[in-house]
Amino acid sequence: MASSVIYSPSTAAPSSSHTKLFKICNIKQQNAKFISPSSFLGKNLAISNDLNTKKLRSMKKRSSLVNCSVSPPAPPAALLFDCDGVLVDTERDGHRVSFNDTFTERGLGVSWDVDLYGELLKIGGGKERMTAYFNQVGWPEKAPSGDAERKEFVASLHKRKTELFMALIEKKLLPLRPGAAKLIDQALAKGVKVAVCSTSNEKAVSAIVSCLLGPERAEKMQIFAGDVVPRKKPDPAIYTLASTTLGVDPASCVVVEDSAIGLAAAKAAGMKCIVTKSGYTAEEDFENADAVFDCIGDPPEERFDLDFCGSLVVKQYAS
């Protein structure tokens, strides 16, 4: 079982290790300062001590000297983001609304409320979600009866739903989650390959990346989405495809996900995975995650950064 870092900004306090670090580094405050949990995470602490035992016992004497330096780890080879719930919290007020508007336009008499849609999100992929729902509760009267025709029917619904969803994105009615743009900028500045790996339609994901992250970031990022792989998350196919296409070792990749099925896909692909909980996924089981946060976060409320991502990869190779 993987060890996880779980951080809750409302309740977290420096751990005992941070407390010890504070005591060591403040032997002479003008030469060292306390490193906060958010900035300490992800960095290798190197402490050089030129004191002998007797001098340590007499720290009150101002002749003591401790030098603390922080050396950031090498960044991961690739940073892979899920889209919905990670870059943007789109599910409840974006995708769900667009599904319902499509059902209304087609006169299907179907509406997914907030709780129901939360259950349906356990199924990866919009077309797969609709198919599973109709198979369980019964197909609408206007739906065809043959399997091939029903597949086309679902595809047409999904196409229209994507158009409606893209209109929401283009109007910028759904903002980026805190820290997403910051972490992408840090990665691109260090030459880290950045990609988005999503079960959502490729057009919808591209719209989010180009409209909300901007064209300059978008042109430096690759998108793996929709039906680019035959099996959706929790199958690892999309992450395996990303690492192969980008030419990087899966073990050197760090994934940012928000759901249990995304976490399962990332781990099955042999990658490190950080979970940033979203509105629908807060209560899911993330025991196997390498770290769990409520978001990525922007300063001064930053939860983690690229150095922290790099530390996870260093840990893997060191273990």
Side-chain angles (χ1 to χ4, degrees):
M1 180 177 66
S3 59
S4 300
V5 174
I6 301 177
Y7 174 74
S8 175
S10 61
T11 59
S15 67
S16 59
S17 61
H18 294 146
T19 303
K20 293 176 182 178
L21 173 65
F22 177 80
K23 291 179 179 178
I24 294 173
C25 289
N26 277 275
I27 291 173
K28 200 163 187 179
Q29 293 186 4
Q30 65 265 36
N31 293 325
K33 64 181 179 179
F34 174 57
I35 301 173
S36 67
S38 60
S39 61
F40 172 63
L41 289 174
K43 296 180 173 64
N44 295 327
L45 178 68
I47 299 179
S48 59
N49 191 346
D50 61 354
L51 303 177
N52 58 33
T53 304
K54 291 182 179 179
K55 287 185 179 180
L56 278 173
R57 291 173 180 171
S58 59
M59 286 188 298
K60 292 183 179 180
K61 296 181 180 180
R62 300 188 62 85
S63 61
S64 302
L65 180 62
V66 174
N67 297 319
C68 294
S69 62
V70 175
S71 176
L79 195 58
L80 309 178
F81 292 86
D82 178 40
C83 183
D84 299 303
V86 172
L87 298 180
V88 187
D89 205 346
T90 55
E91 296 294 4
R92 188 185 72 176
D93 299 321
H95 288 295
R96 184 185 68 87
V97 171
S98 300
F99 274 116
N100 285 339
D101 288 347
T102 301
F103 299 151
T104 299
E105 282 186 1
R106 299 293 179 92
L108 301 184
V110 174
S111 180
W112 290 345
D113 63 26
V114 172
D115 291 337
L116 173 59
Y117 192 67
E119 290 298 314
L120 292 171
L121 283 175
K122 296 176 182 177
I123 304 166
K127 292 189 290 291
E128 292 81 359
R129 206 167 292 147
M130 283 188 284
T131 300
Y133 173 79
F134 292 144
N135 282 338
Q136 182 176 359
V137 305
W139 285 76
E141 292 183 3
K142 293 186 177 182
S145 57
D147 290 342
E149 291 79 7
R150 283 180 172 177
K151 187 175 181 179
E152 292 179 2
F153 173 74
V154 167
S156 70
L157 292 177
H158 196 261
K159 180 180 179 181
R160 178 55 179 158
K161 172 260 169 185
T162 299
E163 292 171 350
L164 294 174
F165 176 77
M166 288 175 65
L168 291 176
I169 296 300
E170 289 167 1
K171 294 176 183 177
K172 297 187 177 180
L173 298 177
L174 300 170
L176 287 170
R177 292 194 69 193
K182 172 216 70 178
L183 186 57
I184 289 170
D185 287 343
Q186 290 176 347
L188 293 175
K190 292 289 186 178
V192 175
K193 296 180 180 180
V194 179
V196 179
C197 301
S198 173
T199 60
S200 292
N201 180 277
E202 190 275 336
K203 290 183 178 179
V205 176
S206 294
I208 288 174
V209 172
S210 61
C211 293
L212 300 184
L213 286 171
E216 291 186 5
R217 294 187 184 98
E219 68 181 11
K220 300 174 184 177
M221 300 168 60
Q222 284 197 244
I223 293 174
F224 304 89
D227 296 325
V228 68
V229 290
R231 297 177 303 280
K232 304 291 178 67
K233 301 172 188 178
D235 191 281
I238 197 163
Y239 286 121
T240 300
L241 174 65
S243 64
T244 300
T245 304
L246 296 173
V248 295
D249 181 355
S252 67
C253 298
V254 174
V255 174
V256 184
E257 272 282 358
D258 76 307
S259 68
I261 63 172
L263 168 62
K267 300 305 287 185
M271 300 177 179
K272 292 293 184 179
C273 185
I274 302 170
V275 169
T276 58
K277 295 181 179 181
S278 63
Y280 269 122
T281 67
E283 302 304 319
E284 292 185 8
D285 181 6
F286 300 122
E287 184 178 4
N288 291 327
D290 295 285
V292 178
F293 298 90
D294 60 339
C295 66
I296 299 170
D298 287 307
E301 297 183 353
E302 182 181 63
R303 308 295 191 263
F304 67 95
D305 57 12
L306 186 66
D307 289 340
F308 178 73
C309 297
S311 73
L312 297 180
V313 175
V314 170
K315 178 182 177 182
Q316 175 162 319
Y317 284 114
S319 62

